[in-house]
Amino acid sequence: MTTGAGQGAYTGRIALGLDASGQGLKVKVSLRVLDGNLGVGILTPDSKDFILERSVWPLPQMLEVALPLPSPPITGDLIIRNLAAGHIASKAIVGRIEIHKTR
């Protein structure tokens, strides 16, 4: 995937579709950033802010980003966006997106 050139430009948005009955969940995103800097995060239900976000830089291998969800998981969408400074695009390969129950 390739982001837009502006910092904060979304390149991916996925509705998680979680309800309040789930507890102890985390979202795992497997990706490899090729260029730039990406943010992988979870929005609030109103999409106005991030509950949490992790920054990912270029690496020679795939990386797994784990995003623990609050309990109950009242969350918005999963977002992948450009965090690169300046007017450049970021590029990445996304392998998997999974939701896991923690022990």
Side-chain angles (χ1 to χ4, degrees), residues 74-98:
I74 307 300
T75 63
D77 298 343
L78 170 70
I79 296 292
I80 299 175
R81 68 181 183 147
N82 188 9
L83 293 182
H87 197 68
I88 62 169
S90 294
K91 296 178 185 176
I93 298 168
V94 176
R96 290 186 321 269
I97 299 171
E98 301 172 327

Side-chain angles (χ1 to χ4, degrees), residues 1 3 14 23 26 28 44 49 51 61 74 86:
M1 59 180 32
T3 69
I14 298 170
Q23 300 233 354
K26 67 179 157 185
K28 290 185 177 181
T44 57
D49 203 2
I51 293 173
Q61 73 277 350
I74 307 300

Side-chain angles (χ1 to χ4, degrees), residues 3-89:
T3 69
Q7 191 173 29
Y10 291 4
T11 189
R13 184 174 183 147
I14 298 170
L16 295 175
L18 299 173
D19 61 29
S21 65
Q23 300 233 354
L25 301 176
K26 67 179 157 185
V27 176
K28 290 185 177 181
V29 180
S30 174
L31 70 133
R32 178 176 171 223
V33 176
L34 304 171
D35 293 310
N37 181 9
L38 287 179
V40 179
I42 308 287
L43 290 174
T44 57
D46 63 6
S47 298
K48 292 183 179 181
D49 203 2
F50 282 88
I51 293 173
L52 70 150
E53 183 177 32
R54 303 281 190 260
S55 184
V56 186
W57 293 271
L59 291 172
Q61 73 277 350
M62 295 293 273
L63 174 72
E64 185 172 86
V65 177
L67 303 166
L69 300 175
S71 289
I74 307 300
T75 63
D77 298 343
L78 170 70
I79 296 292
I80 299 175
R81 68 181 183 147
N82 188 9
L83 293 182
H87 197 68
I88 62 169

